[in-house]
């Protein structure tokens, strides 16, 4: 088996993943600070991804190995768990079942775990939560399990939407309490059966994206959130934290707090109250 080792992570080198697929990669994974791309044969690579190294490795059943090493992740009041490990959820914990698949967000990355922990610290009962960049739907589903009246997950990648909906069904989240649509913030492609409630303020907004996008979307975060509403942002590398803090200051967010986990940062804040 031919494996191309490229320095970086899915988050820091996201713009290069399409180039690997286009070059003929049959699979991608992140391991120990490397993106590992699997090929059936040597391929001509784009110059932007030419700083990696080709290696010949023994054939392995990667899916079986992945299932063997995957463990439940405790995140506040929830434990994120694949279906085959549901029996390992500790008593008193709410299981959040995620079938690992194509969409980003199995709960094992520090960014996802920190975001679920932050949601778990809030009283979401009766609130409306917006999850921007929903991926597998894990954060919107977490909000629903934690008592949110309605959780909407939006993503610009149409592949993620049916996966997120399936994960909501696996977790027995009633259709009326969760919704997943293609789009971003107030730009979803369809309003859904409950009306276009995004035209109104949401109570909580959570986004696991990356620093540059948080910078670009900060104004829309402020416009979407009710006054005093919690904002939860993650997917931020520590060296990009100043960019996010400046964006939140620019938009008048208050009570900004930062949590770090290795090279990753979670930022929480509250939308400014009317003056």
């Amino acid at each position: 088996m031919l494996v191309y080792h490229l320095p970086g992570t899915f988050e820091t080198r996201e713009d290069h993943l399409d180039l690997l697929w286009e070059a003929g990669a049959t699979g991608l994974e992140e391991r120990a600070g490397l993106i590992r791309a699997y090929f059936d044969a040597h391929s001509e690579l784009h110059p932007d991804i030419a700083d990696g190294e080709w290696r010949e490795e023994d054939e392995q059943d990667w899916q079986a190995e992945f299932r063997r090493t995957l463990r439940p992740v405790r995140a506040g009041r929830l434990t994120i768990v694949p279906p085959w490990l549901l029996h390992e959820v500790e008593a008193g914990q709410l299981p959040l079942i995620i079938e690992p698949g194509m969409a980003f967000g199995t709960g094992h990355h520090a960014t996802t775990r920190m975001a679920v922990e932050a949601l778990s610290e809030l009283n979401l009962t009766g609130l409306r939560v917006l999850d921007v960049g929903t991926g597998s739907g894990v954060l919107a589903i977490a909000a629903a399990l934690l008592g949110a009246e309605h959780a909407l997950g939006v993503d610009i990648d149409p592949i993620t939407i049916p996966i997120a909906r399936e994960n909501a069904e696996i977790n027995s989240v009633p259709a009326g309490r969760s919704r997943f649509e293609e789009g971003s913030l107030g730009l979803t492609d369809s309003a859904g059966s409950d009306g276009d409630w995004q035209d109104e303020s949401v109570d909580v907004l959570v986004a696991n994206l990356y620093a540059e996008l948080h910078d670009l979307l900060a104004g829309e975060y402020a416009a979407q959130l009710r006054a005093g509403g919690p904002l939860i942002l993650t997917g931020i590398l520590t060296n990009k934290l100043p960019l996010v803090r400046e964006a939140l200051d620019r938009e008048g967010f208050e009570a900004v707090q930062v949590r770090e986990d290795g090279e990753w940062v979670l930022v929480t804040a509250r939308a400014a109250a009317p003056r």
Side-chain angles (χ1 to χ4, degrees), residues 157-206:
D157 185 353
I159 292 176
T160 67
I161 303 306
I163 297 169
R165 289 171 179 165
E166 182 178 349
N167 282 327
E169 290 180 9
I170 291 171
N171 284 276
S172 301
V173 177
R177 292 185 55 211
S178 69
R179 194 174 106 218
F180 298 94
E181 301 290 347
E182 181 183 350
S184 176
L185 294 172
L187 305 177
T188 53
D189 289 346
S190 60
S193 59
D194 60 346
D196 201 1
W197 65 266
Q198 278 187 277
D199 289 339
E200 305 175 15
S201 296
V202 298
D203 300 302
V204 180
L205 191 152
V206 58

Side-chain angles (χ1 to χ4, degrees), residues 1-272:
M1 172 184 292
L2 277 171
V3 184
Y4 188 67
H5 293 243
L6 184 68
T9 68
F10 280 93
E11 287 75 22
T12 59
R13 300 292 290 272
E14 186 174 359
D15 54 334
H16 296 161
L17 298 185
D18 286 343
L19 296 176
L20 288 166
W21 287 120
E22 290 169 7
T26 59
L28 299 173
E29 71 166 333
E30 178 189 340
R31 188 192 301 179
L34 292 172
I35 296 173
R36 293 163 52 88
Y38 299 93
F39 289 83
D40 293 328
H42 276 281
S43 177
E44 189 71 27
L45 298 177
H46 190 281
D48 285 350
I49 55 173
D51 56 336
E53 178 185 358
W54 288 100
R55 298 182 190 175
E56 187 80 38
E57 298 186 4
D58 293 335
E59 293 282 348
Q60 293 189 43
D61 186 341
W62 295 108
Q63 185 175 11
E65 179 67 11
F66 175 70
R67 289 174 67 98
R68 186 185 68 81
T69 58
L70 199 64
R71 307 309 310 158
V73 175
R74 183 165 179 154
R77 290 180 278 154
L78 294 169
T79 294
I80 307 167
V81 61
W84 62 88
L85 294 178
L86 191 57
H87 63 282
E88 295 191 12
V89 176
E90 298 176 14
Q93 286 289 105
L94 291 170
L96 198 174
I97 306 166
I98 295 293
E99 179 72 61
M102 293 177 64
F104 174 74
T106 63
H108 288 73
H109 197 279
T111 58
T112 309
R113 177 177 46 76
M114 286 194 292
V116 175
E117 288 172 344
L119 285 169
S120 187
E121 292 170 5
L122 300 174
N123 180 2
L124 299 180
T125 303
L127 301 186
R128 297 188 298 182
V129 179
L130 177 60
D131 172 16
V132 182
T134 194
S136 65
V138 61
L139 300 181
I141 295 168
L145 294 175
L146 290 166
E149 177 183 328
H150 194 101
L152 172 63
V154 295
D155 203 298
I156 61 173
D157 185 353
I159 292 176
T160 67
I161 303 306
I163 297 169
R165 289 171 179 165
E166 182 178 349
N167 282 327
E169 290 180 9
I170 291 171
N171 284 276
S172 301
V173 177
R177 292 185 55 211
S178 69
R179 194 174 106 218
F180 298 94
E181 301 290 347
E182 181 183 350
S184 176
L185 294 172
L187 305 177
T188 53
D189 289 346
S190 60
S193 59
D194 60 346
D196 201 1
W197 65 266
Q198 278 187 277
D199 289 339
E200 305 175 15
S201 296
V202 298
D203 300 302
V204 180
L205 191 152
V206 58
N208 184 2
L209 300 171
Y210 53 89
E212 291 81 359
L213 263 182
H214 292 318
D215 178 39
L216 288 171
L217 295 174
E220 295 187 59
Y221 295 159
Q224 200 73 57
L225 264 173
R226 66 168 172 80
L231 176 71
I232 300 170
L233 305 180
T234 189
I236 305 162
L237 289 163
T238 53
N239 64 343
K240 297 294 183 68
L241 175 60
L243 179 65
V244 177
R245 296 202 69 143
E246 289 168 11
L248 296 182
D249 288 344
R250 180 180 72 233
E251 300 300 334
F253 281 93
E254 302 170 343
V256 177
Q257 296 186 4
V258 174
R259 307 177 196 180
E260 295 187 15
D261 188 325
E263 64 178 341
W264 297 102
V265 174
L266 176 134
V267 177
T268 59
R270 289 188 177 269

